[in-house]
Every structure is written in structure tokens, then in C-alpha cells.
Amino acid sequence: MEQLVMNSIEQSLDNNQPLSFQTLASIRSLVINPSTSDSTLSSVLNALTRSLQLSRDSVFLHHVVKLLTDLSSRCPHLSPVAIDLLRSNSLFTSSDSPRLVGESLSALVSLTSSQNDVDDARFVSLCLSPSVSVRLWLLRNAEKFAVRDSVLLAVFLGFTRDPYPYVRKAALDGLVKLCEKGDFDDHDVAQGCYFRAVELLCDAEDCVRSPAVRAVCGWGKMIVVSTEERNKQDLADAVFIQLCCMVRDMSMEVRLEAFDALGKIGLVSEDILLQTVSKKVLGMNKEKIYKPIEGLEISASGAAGAFVHGLEDEFSEVRMSACYSLRTLTVFSLRFAGEALNLLMDMLNDDSTVVRLQALGTMHHMAISNNLKVEEIHMHRFLGTLFDSSSAIRFVTRKILKLAKLPKLGLFKLCIDGLLGNLETYPEDEVDVFSVLFHIGRNHGKFTVCMIEEVSSELEPAFGGKLGFDSTRVAAFLVLAISVPLSHEKDARGVPPRIFSYAVTWLGRISHALSDLMSQETLLAYLSECSRSSIISLADFKIKDALPTVEGDMPSHLCSDVGSPVRIPLWQQDGETSDHHHTKLWSLGKSATHAEYELGEHDELRKSLNLIFRKVKDLWPLVQLGCTNEALKAIRACKEEVASYTAESPGSAGAVAFTLQYLRITKLLVAVWEHLMLTKKLNPYGVGKLELLLAKLDRRLREINNRFIGLSKGEELQIMDLIVVACLLRLSKVEICCYETAMKKLSSTISHVEFLHKEGSIEPSHFMVEVKKSLHEVGSSIGGNTCKPLLFKKLVDSFSFEQFVLCASPRYLNAELEVPGNDSESPLPFISGIPASIPLVITLHNISSDNKLWLRISMSEESTQFVFLDLNLIRGNNEVRKFTFVAPFYLTPKAVSFTLRVSIGMECMGETLHLVKTFGGPKCELTYLSPEKEIFLCKSTKC
Amino acid sequence: MAIDCLVLGAGQEVGKSCVVVSINGKRIMFDCGMHMGYTDSRRYPDFSLISKTGDFDNALTCVIITHFHLDHIGALPYFTEVCGYRGPIYMTYPTKALAPLMLEDYRKNMDRRGEDGQFTSDHITECMKKVIPVDLKQTVQVDKDLQIRAYYAGHVLGAAMFYAKVGDAAMVYTGDYNMTPDRHLGAAQIDRLQLDLLITESTYATTIRDSRYGREREFLKAVHNCVAAGGKVLIPTFALGRAQELCILLEDYWERMNLKVPIYFSSGLTIQANMYYKMLINWTSQKIKETYATHNAFDFKNVQNFDRSLINAPGPCVLFATPGMISGGFSLEVFMQWAPSEINLITLPGYCVAGTIGHKLMSGKPTKIDLDKDTQVDVRCQIHQLSFSPHTDAKGIMDLVKFLSPKHAILVHGEKPKMATLKERIQSELGIQCYCPANNDTVTIPTTHYVKADALDAFIKSCLNPNFKFSKSSSVDKSYSGSNDSKAIPGLQVSDERVAEGILVVEKGKKAKVIHQDELLHMLGENKHEVQFAYCFPMRTERLEKTRSEDLPSADDLLCGLDKCTLISLLSTKLSNELSDGNIQDLGEQLQVESFCLSICLKDNCPHRISDSVQNDSEVVFCCCSWSVADEMLAWKIISIMNNYTLPLEGRLQVHI
């Protein structure tokens, strides 16, 4: 067949006839067919080369370009020739068809990464040719060519006049990109671009208006930067108002862009800011007209109510964006911050959790930048969020409370009541609530003393001399009380010394909660010191100095400016600080990049997942103390919470699955830990249980190690830590230790860690270093082949649970198995002794053809059979492949019916199977990607 | 061409919305509402103004109903069944589904009060059969010329704004709309259209409302305080719309605060309406649409059916009762029972028509209310005025008008003095001609008229090729460009002339054509004429001693040729010193700058020379110049440089045609 086609091609070429379309079609089928030999393909290429000299018909050339593209992607070794051909004059200079030129260009760009095919003049002339599609393509891909920025600017600016909306959009996008590069300091150019962008804000098409908003923002900032100092304020105001005018657009995308942009304008004057939170035009803004550049006029009334509208927008995306933008703007004016807070407090009633979270996030931001002024009427609603069912929301609320400085005893009591209520409703928040109480206590020494006096009867030990401290509430008050001597207020005294001795009985829990402030020993020393005398001279008490100066979640650059490190005086209106913020934001307005502010609101999910990871880390001391049940309960709660994220967005499935897996591992670790670390003796059946747990842990670890791709080196290292711990746990118990295998695994893991360490230049954890060192010691005495459980136990003790930080979004390798229509009622037929066929519908997610997949079909442990799945034969992209696969099962038993268990496993490289169970099966350990599927078979009745 | 707009109802008042618009020969009736404040003939629009003979089928092209409120649809059964209109009626699917409920409810209330019904249950059924439902953004071709399209309006379930287009004239009738979303409905949404006329409601022509969060907070606080004190809360509402919004709000709050106080719905109507709401999820707000898959927001957990016996049952409760404004019916019945107790609460809707009890309660705080001659009710209960309203506020109206930027605007459905204020604002701030006609007035506005024209090839080609130009006013020398631009423009301007650059040719009896300028001559069959200026002026020379020999013309020519060349090169150097830009070309015997061309004139009687300015022939040499009209400025500049310190400039222009 190949020969036949080739002959007909040769024939027509020999007769100097151009190739017919039919011939081209058969060439196409040759190119597509995977079994066409390489020699045929290269002769096809030759034929195409020759045919190019014969015909200049544009339709013909169009087909040739397509064929050349396909050909060179099909066989890479031919692509240089094909590319040369595409570059050659015959295709490139056919000026009569710019479309063709465009096609060959896009083919070239897709095949090579070189940029030298198009120079400035050629780019411009192609853009100016009548073909709209080529123009659009060129504008969109402009950065792929080596065209000077000044030329690009002219082209982009010119095409903002194009009658086709998508060309206008592409041109505006290009202008925004150029602006971000920021190489233009010509004031005229910036003004021209800004002017044009403002004109396009009134475009009839949504798709043009939203890039126009971005362009107005970008070039607006550019003109602000390039004008002289005294006009800057007015200009920035004008740009801001211009953007405010777009918040009432009918298109959600445009509104979203507008609010994103509002947050990026640097300095805005207070009058204008106040106008954005009032729908009525304020007196001072009436008849205020700005003329940012000649020919443009904008009235201050345009800004009226921008944020009011934004916060009650129908779409939660817009509301989020509005909340987020407020964060940067509240810094400029205390009055504005107050007004904005009124609106934000209302947002706590919003029906969307993410919006509530964003509103709280903004408040927290206001608190750190010293302009959160919560009033009594807000208090009720604000504290209500402590009862919210989402732990993320409660967490942020408490974070804000940590920074709070309350002016009245009443408010203070309300806060404490709120926190106690929180503790009562959600006991899992204990650690954080205690920590918050301690901070609040330090910030409000006198109020705390009043409060403790009121509740002192509750704190007294129960009647009969026995200490009845079993209520969390008491513990909470104790935490509050012991913070007093460390108060920032000078003359806050008066907590009875016995309270401190009561607190000692809670040492474990309290020190756990305050672990970020002081160690258990320090706390003990402090408590005993305080319990001895009622008047403590803290000047000679070293604790105060020993306290860490920075509170965990406060950005350090702000702390350095504030006198007291922990307390942020919320109620002081310090002119200097606000000036400081002014200048700070000034520079922010100037700089083109806002990495800090653009760290999107879109990774909310990752934020909350990281909160979970943090929580897990916080649990670890509990485990070490032996409170296994509490820890397990909390992990279970975390799991539930994570599971609830699944529905939120489809793209995040990987991150959620990863977190779940991580939690499962932690759970198993906790369970194993209980068995190993406690002094209590292992009961006989405990060994078996432990073995089961360890096996499960191994399996889970293998899964987390192999089923997620796209993790960073740091993240991988942390997983390695866990694997090493699992090995050590195994090694530290003689009863279950399978010494050699475990050692082998340990050393291979360590070497992998070393490899990662070298490659990514990330420091391995302290624990890992320790392990490596002692492993070396063991290695030197390896001849003896003695196990050293004590050494390993020591190593395990040195393990500290690090907080996992998820920064990438991992992809999840997953598979689904389905046998349509099969259940116990309608089984598949089989004839015993003859292989049965099982039609499986398989869906694979994120699996590339490099992975080795096996079907594991088992009737029982003894009769297990592996079938290899060759992914190269299966079409589909790497994200999702769905196909039907008929798997044979050879060992059909002599039975009327039986069931099979089928699952899909992936070979994990590097982990060789220590026991080869079946011939022809996988060589390495399998990670199972799908749950086991039960398949019912029944003896065929037909024969 | 003009649009005639006859306002039959809701002109300078609220109630019986009805506007008849004639565009290009098509007549559309927008809304057909009844006035709730009247029981006599003023209740309905005066349909006789549409057609004296009562032949409505020929007088109207179609009827469009925006939403199911009675002041927008109440007169429809009367109009179709009693007056006999049989033409097409358009409304959205939800309106078609819910309108019969509203009409039936109204009819029953009328019957109960013993008023003559005007229309019957059968009328409603028959009328609804004539309705053609439309979907959002679906373009309906009513007939050959008339297109209509519905846009989401918020306000109530199924409310729509309608766009109508006949030929080149286009308009939008908004009906009632809301520019801010609420708990269950989204905000109005419309495309940017080219409009001649916008007819908009103006219920809140001057009010600017706060954020709805504040209103929700107030409402929840009032209700919570009342039920916490053991009181009963009466919420008179329309069966559809506010009832659902408030119920979603209360439901949410009840869940959060874990309240057990029962919430009742007074009649089967509302329950039935909830069912429709559940089905018409597509018309609700984004949030409800998104969460619909997991929980339907209209599946109220705490809501129960109300029984008349429960009116005096002990304990707190919340009751939704129809009709709103306490104009009669069940809400009046409950009001009479509950009003005398201080612990009870009545929440009133945002707007009450004059004459209803709601209106009386709102205006001041009366202690007694006379129901009729014999009955009087003591009012001791608390009254909370709900400012929930599904209408847009003044800012919203301005925003919509600004967004659509129509050529003319008409305000209806509002109160006269407030409308006048808004009208002024629209005219002064947006520069849009605005009207607020009274009932039975007609407003006529001109419309755009487009002429269809053929385009010739060269014009089409020039349209396809981008042809943008940049102008940089600041860097251009003022003396060239002239300061004729009174409007200041920024430094860099871009313009694309490919579309603008055409010439419209209308020949008698032929279709108009748009052509490219290059095609014009060819089309008219004329030759090209150029205007050329010529001027010959003397320049003083000191060194030049010219001998003129008549005998040796060839030698003389040669000599002069050489002479000319030196002179020209001299001039060329001088010019290039003086002129900063401009491309000066020395062509030997000629000097050329753009189209300006200068040569030494040897003719004694050059037609372009001014003879009397010459004093001494031997001391001057004549320069003959010519230039085309485009370079006039440049030419005079060069000439003035040449003449700088010699002779006073005096020129004569000669025009060749």
C-alpha cells in the first residue's frame, strides 16, 4: 500500500504535475499511520520538497504546511529538514497569502524555539496584512519573536483601534505586558497608552473592557511614576476614580478586574477613599474634577460607593476581590479604615465561607498595620465567628484577637467569654485558644486581674483537699492568670501566688499551648518563681528576656517599627507610624511587581490546607505526652474538614488527596507510636496488631511517595523524613523487626535524601542528619549484624514533627475500575479450565505512559495473576485516559461461581520485591491506584 | 422617523404600568397593569386611547409583560378577554408560570370583598393560553421587522427588561429592576446596546440606599428581639418574591442561632409558589445556583403551614401573610388580632400604596386605625419598617442609564416631584434628553435613520488593511500644524482611518455607495485637478555680474547653467542651515523641498513675477518657485528665509487649473 501511494506520487512528480488533493490526502494517511516505515516518510518529505517547486497554489501550500507540521512532529529526526522547508522562501515569501505565512509561522513556532524567523519589519508587515486571524495570532504570540519593544508598542497601540474585538483585546493584553516590563519612561507614550485604554473602557465588548481595566491600571501607574512630585497625588486619585467607574459594569469579569486593579493603585487620598464607602456623593467631593491628562476629565463622584457595591456583589469572586483590595487601601487613612471596617463586619454575615475568611483576613491585616478599631456594636458579630463551623474562620478570628488591645473591661469580658465558648464548642481548638488567652492576658494585665478575682472561686480546688482540675474552663482561666506578671502594663499585679501553683498541675497542656513562647522547663521555673512570692520583680527574672520577641504570624518588617514587639497598640493614633505606612505604600505604588499582594486570593484552599498541616504539627507534642486518643480524634476532625473541601474546586483534587493521605499517615504514626513509645508492656496480641499497623503505614507511605507528582524537593524531603521514621520504628522493635529489609530500605531512603539534598540544595532536617550519622556508625560495625534497637529508639526519640508546608499543587495519580453491569445478580460467564475474559472500563488520571501499570487479578492469595497494561497502546492524554480493556483470567477454578478481586497497581522504581510470588509479574513493589473491585463470575450455562 | 410613546399608566405615579410604543409602524404595549389603589375605572389603563374602535388586534403588534406583579399584569385578562385583544403576548417562562397564581389570588380577594370581579377564573386560563413564553437573551422575531429580547432584571423571579428593535430604531423597556443582588435574586444584567430610547422605572428616583447587609441586620435583630420576648411577628408580604427572600434570610439565621420558634406561611399559595421557585433555580442568584446541587435554598426546614386556629395560640411565632401592605385578606385579619399587643411586631414592606393600612402605619405612628365606619383597631404593637425593596435606587438608575447611554430616556413608575429631580440629573450629568410624561401623554422622539449603502472594492480593501497613524502633537512644530486644534489632546494619539476614510456618494435614483477616495475620479469620470502655486521673486546678489550675449545662445546657456548650479547649491546650504527638518534636495538646476520647487528664472517676463518690485535688474536674480497646496506653510517659510534681509515680501499667486 505504501509503495502504491509512493509510486503514484513519483509518477505525477516525474510528469511535472503538481500533486493532486487526493494524493495529498493519501500522504496524510501515510503520515498519520503509526506503522508507516521511516524510509517511506523520508521519501514523502522528498516528494513534498519537489512538489513545492511545481505549484504555488495557496490551497495546495496550505495542505503542504499541515503535512510538514504533522510529519515533523511524527518523526523528530525529519523535523530539521521540514523546518528548513517551512523557512524556505517558497512558503515564506508568498506575499499574496498572508494567511499561509501565518500558518507556516505558527507551525515553525510550535516546532522550534528559535525566534529568528521574523524581524521587526516582517512582523509589522504581517500584522498589517488583511488577514485577521494571522494578525490575531501574531499579536497573541508577539513575545515569541525577537521584536523590539518600541515596535511592539506601536503595533499594539495601533491595533487597539482595530474593528475586531479580539484583536483589540490581544492588543490591550500586549500593552499590559509591555507596561509590566516597565521599560518606557517616555511620559507621552504612557499618556497615549493610558488615554487609549480609558477610551476602551467604554467598548461594547466585555472581552475588551476587562483587559482595558488592566491597561488603565498599569499605564495609570506608569504615568503617576513618570510625573513630577506635586502632581502625583492628583494623578493617582484620577486613575483610581477611573477604575472605580468600572465597578458597576454588567460583566462579572470586568468588575473582578476592576477590584483587583483598585488594590494595586498605590497612594489614594483620603477624600476619595471615603467616597468609595459612601454611595452618596460627599460634600468635599462635589464638583471636584480631575484632569489626569489633557483631554480627559473625571469627576470625583465617580468613585461613589465603589466598595459598597463590590461587597454586595452577586458573585463571591468579586466580593473576595473587594475585600482583598481593601486590605492595601486601609493603610492610608484611619477614617477610611473605620468606615471599611463597618462594611467588613457586615461581610461576616456573608453566605460564602471564603468571603467571610477573606474579610477576616483583611481585618487581620488591618490589625497588624495598626488601624483596626473594633467598636462595641461590632463585637457581637465579630465574636460570633468564634462559633463558626469552619475551623479556618475560627483560627483567623483568634489570630486577630491575639493582636487586640481593648479599651473597656466589658469588651475584654466579651472576648474572654467568646473564647471560652469556642473552647467549649470545639475542644480541638484548645492549643490555639490557650495561646490566644495568654496573649490577651499579657496585653490587658489589669482587666485580667479583675477577671481572675471574679472567677477565683471557680479556680479553687474542690472541697476535700483534692484538686478537681478537670475542666478545660479552669485551665483557660489559669492560662489567662499566669500571663499577668508578664503583662505589658507596668502596675498589673495581684494574682494570688497559689494560682501559679495550681497552674503547675496543668504544666503539660499549658506548656504545649505556649510552646512557641517558652519551653516546658522555662514555664515550670517561671511558675514556681511566681508561686513563691506575690510580688515578683521581673527585672531580674530572666523569662521576660527569654520570651521570643516576635509573634508567630506578624510580618517582621512591621514589627521592627513598633516599640513593643508583641503588643500592637491598637488605639494609639500615632502620626508617625501612619506616615511610615504612607511612604511604604508609596514605594509599593511605584514598584511594578507586587508579589506580596498578588499572592492570590485564589490559593485560599492551599492556605487552609497548610493550616491543617500546622494543626497536625501542633498535635505532635500531645502524642509524645501519650494523649493518643485526643490526637487521633483531632486528626479525624481534620480529615473530615479536608474531605469537605473536595467539592469546592476540581483543580484542587490533588492537593486535597495529598492532605488526606498525609493525615492517614499521621494517624497511623500516632497509632504506632502509642505501641512503641509507651513504657507499658506490649501484650502478646499487640505484636500482631503492631505488625499490621506498620504494614499499613508502609503501604500508605509508598502511596504518598509514588502517587503524587509535582511536589517540590522540600516537600519530598519531608515525606522522606516520615519514611525514615517508619523504618526506625520497625527497627526499634526486636519482636517485629525484619532487620535486613528494613535496613536496606533505610539506607536507600537516606541515599535518596542525599540525592535530593544535592540537587535542590535544601538542608535536610536535623533529624535526618542524626540518622545519617548513626547509620554510619551502625554501618561500620555491620559485620556483627547485630540489631541495636536501643540506638534506633534513641533516634526515633530525636524525631520532631516538622510542619509540612504545601507550596505546589501536586497532581494525584489515580485510577478507576469498572465492570459495567456486573454484580452478584448478573455475573460474567466462564467455563472452568478455559481462560475467562473480563471487560474492564479503566479511567486513569495523571498517568503518563512512562508508568508501568499492572492489573492484579486474584481469586485468593495463592492464585494471583498480574496483567501488564501497555499504556503506549492506549490513546488519550496524560490527564485522563479512559478505555476498555479485556483482561484474561487464566486459572478458572472448577466451581459453579467465584469472585475475583481486581485492582490496578503501579510499579514503584527502586523498591524491589523481596519475594517473587508469581512469574511474569512486576519486579518492583506495586502501589495500588484504585480500590479493589470485586467481580463475580458464574459457570456458563450455555454449554 | 420617530418613536411615539403613549403612557397609559404609571406616568408620574406608581401603579398600572402600561406604555404603548410605536416604532417604525410597529406598536408594542409594554405591561398591562392595574392600579391597586382604585376600584373604579381608574383601576385599568384607558385602552380606548389605543384604538377608538376597539380593534386592538390591528392596532397593536404585540403585548410584552415584564413580570408578574399585578401593577404590571393585572389588567391583562381584562384586556384580552373583555376588550378582546387576540394578538401575541410575550413574557418569560417564570412569569407565565407564576402570573396565574397572582391573578387568581387577586380575583379571590376581590370576590371576598364583594367587588365586581371584572374577570373570572376562566378568563385567566384563556388569557394565559395566548401567552408566548421567552427565555433570557433569546431573540424573538415577532414579525418580519420587530425583534424583541429579554434581559435579566432581578426584582422578582422571572422579571425581565425587554429590548425591542424595528429597523434601525431600538429601545429598552426596563419594567421594574434591581441593580443589586439580594439573598435569592441576582442583579439586573444587560448588554451595552445602541439605543434610541430607554424607558426606565424610577420608584426610588432620589433615594440612595445603604448596603443590604445593614437592612438584613436590622430586620434580624427586630425579629429576634420580638420572638425572644415571646411576641408574634407578622410579616405581610406579597406571596412571591420578598417572602422567599426574607424566608431564606430567617432560615439561615434560625440555623445559625439554633432557634426553635415556628415560622408559618399563611396560605397554600406561598407553598405552591415555593415549589415554582424550586423549579426555576436558573432564574435565581449565583449563590443559589451554585449550591443548588447540594441543597436547594427553597427547601425550608423550619417553615410550616399556618392554620387559622393558630392565630391566638400562645407562644411566639413568625408569620408570613398575604397580601402585602395589609390591603385586606388574611394579613388584615391577623393584623386586627395582633396589633393591640405591645409585644407583637409588624414588619411593613418598603413601599405601601396610599390608601392601604400599611401606608397609614408608615406615615407617623398611629394609635388607632379606622378600618371602616364601624371597626377601629388599637395599634400598640411594635412596627418595623422593612427597607427591603426589590427596586433599584437612584444610583442604580443612574448607573444603568450611564451604562446604556441611550439617546433619550423616559421615566415612568415613580412619584412626580422626585422624577423631576432625577430627570434634571440625567440631563445635566449624563447629557441625555429625558422626559417624564403623565398618564395619557404622548412623547415623540426622533430616531436614528440609517441608509444602506454599497461599498466598492477599493474601500473594502482599505477597510481590511490596518492603516493606523500616530500623531505626536507636542513634538510637531507649531508653525506647520498650526494651532487650529482648539481641543487639547495628549501627546500621543493613535487613529485608524481605514473605516473612516470613505466617501459617501448618493446619486439620484441610485443606491448610495461608499467608495475609497482613489475611486472617486474614476467613478465621476473626471480628471484630477491639482492646485499649484507659483511665485517668482527677486533675490539680491552682489557678486553676480552677468553678461548677456544674444549671439551665443548656446554658450550663454552653458554658463548660466553653471551659474544656476552654484546658486542653487548656495541656497541649498543656506536653507539646510535655517530649516531644521525637511528633506532638501539639490537637483542641480532645481531645489526641491517636499513639493516645493525652486529654480532660477531667466525669463524677463515670467508670468509669476511682480514687476514693480524690481528696481535693478543687474543686482537681482529671480527665483521661480512652485508648490502644491499641501505644502503652503512650508513654502512661505522658505520664501521668507530667502527674502530675509533683502526685499519686503510681496507676492502674487497664480493658480493653474
Side-chain angles (χ1 to χ4, degrees), chain A residues 203-220:
Chain A
D203 200 279
E205 302 290 328
D206 303 349
C207 67
V208 181
R209 292 203 297 273
S210 49
V213 170
R214 278 202 301 277
V216 165
C217 174
W219 287 100

Side-chain angles (χ1 to χ4, degrees), chain A residues 136-318:
Chain A
L136 189 57
W137 186 84
L138 282 169
L139 290 180
R140 281 183 181 157
N141 296 287
E143 72 265 32
K144 290 185 184 155
F145 304 106
V147 184
R148 271 180 298 136
D149 280 354
S150 54
V151 176
L152 276 183
L153 181 84
V155 170
F156 285 144
L157 190 56
F159 281 116
T160 55
R161 285 273 179 197
D162 201 275
Y164 296 92
Y166 281 101
V167 176
R168 292 201 294 273
K169 174 185 156 59
L172 276 170
D173 284 336
L175 276 182
V176 174
K177 272 186 205 146
L178 280 180
C179 175
E180 279 161 5
K181 278 194 189 171
D183 296 339
F184 299 93
D185 30 10
D186 184 351
H187 191 64
D188 280 344
V189 170
Q191 282 199 342
C193 291
Y194 178 75
F195 187 81
R196 191 65 202 123
V198 169
E199 281 180 323
L200 283 176
L201 289 179
C202 302
D203 200 279
E205 302 290 328
D206 303 349
C207 67
V208 181
R209 292 203 297 273
S210 49
V213 170
R214 278 202 301 277
V216 165
C217 174
W219 287 100
K221 274 192 332 207
M222 193 70 94
I223 55 172
V224 173
V225 171
S226 65
T227 41
E228 71 258 41
E229 205 57 40
R230 65 193 161 83
N231 288 337
K232 274 191 177 175
Q233 177 71 74
D234 276 0
L235 253 178
D237 284 352
V239 175
F240 186 80
I241 298 167
Q242 192 75 61
L243 291 169
C244 282
C245 292
M246 296 310 287
V247 303
R248 289 296 268 163
D249 199 275
M250 290 286 176
S251 154
M252 190 271 273
E253 283 81 18
V254 179
R255 294 200 297 269
L256 192 58
E257 288 291 352
F259 280 106
D260 286 347
L262 283 180
K264 290 180 191 159
I265 300 297
L267 181 63
V268 187
S269 60
E270 187 176 58
D271 288 358
I272 302 298
L273 282 176
L274 288 175
Q275 186 62 75
T276 60
V277 286
S278 158
K279 282 167 90 175
K280 292 194 180 72
V281 180
L282 301 173
M284 62 209 173
N285 286 330
K286 271 183 186 145
E287 285 145 28
K288 204 190 262 181
I289 306 280
Y290 289 88
K291 288 184 180 166
I293 49 180
E294 285 183 83
L296 272 186
E297 262 185 27
I298 188 147
S299 146
S301 61
F307 278 105
V308 181
H309 289 306
L311 292 177
E312 62 177 3
D313 199 275
E314 182 180 352
F315 292 84
S316 58
E317 296 93 322
V318 182

Side-chain angles (χ1 to χ4, degrees), chain B residues 1-6 19-30 59-62 64 142-143 145-148 162-173 194-199 442-449:
Chain B
M1 290 284 173
I3 296 179
D4 288 326
C5 180
L6 167 63
V19 178
V20 178
V21 180
S22 317
I23 331 171
N24 289 355
K26 302 288 165 191
R27 255 180 142 196
I28 311 164
M29 179 194 275
F30 288 103
L60 289 178
T61 316
C62 67
I64 293 173
V142 175
D143 61 17
D145 304 314
L146 173 62
Q147 279 184 354
I148 60 168
F162 275 91
Y163 166 77
K165 183 178 178 217
V166 183
D168 305 321
M171 62 159 297
V172 161
Y173 177 83
Q194 290 277 336
L195 296 181
D196 295 302
L197 172 65
L198 171 74
I199 304 179
T442 302
V443 176
T444 304
I445 61 149
T447 62
T448 343
H449 178 60

Side-chain angles (χ1 to χ4, degrees), chain A residues 162 202 248 312 346 349, chain B residues 192 212 217 256 399 498:
Chain A
D162 201 275
C202 302
R248 289 296 268 163
E312 62 177 3
D346 280 331
N349 257 342
Chain B
R192 194 161 267 184
R212 78 183 153 91
R217 192 177 61 225
R256 259 189 294 154
D399 286 336
R498 66 180 124 153

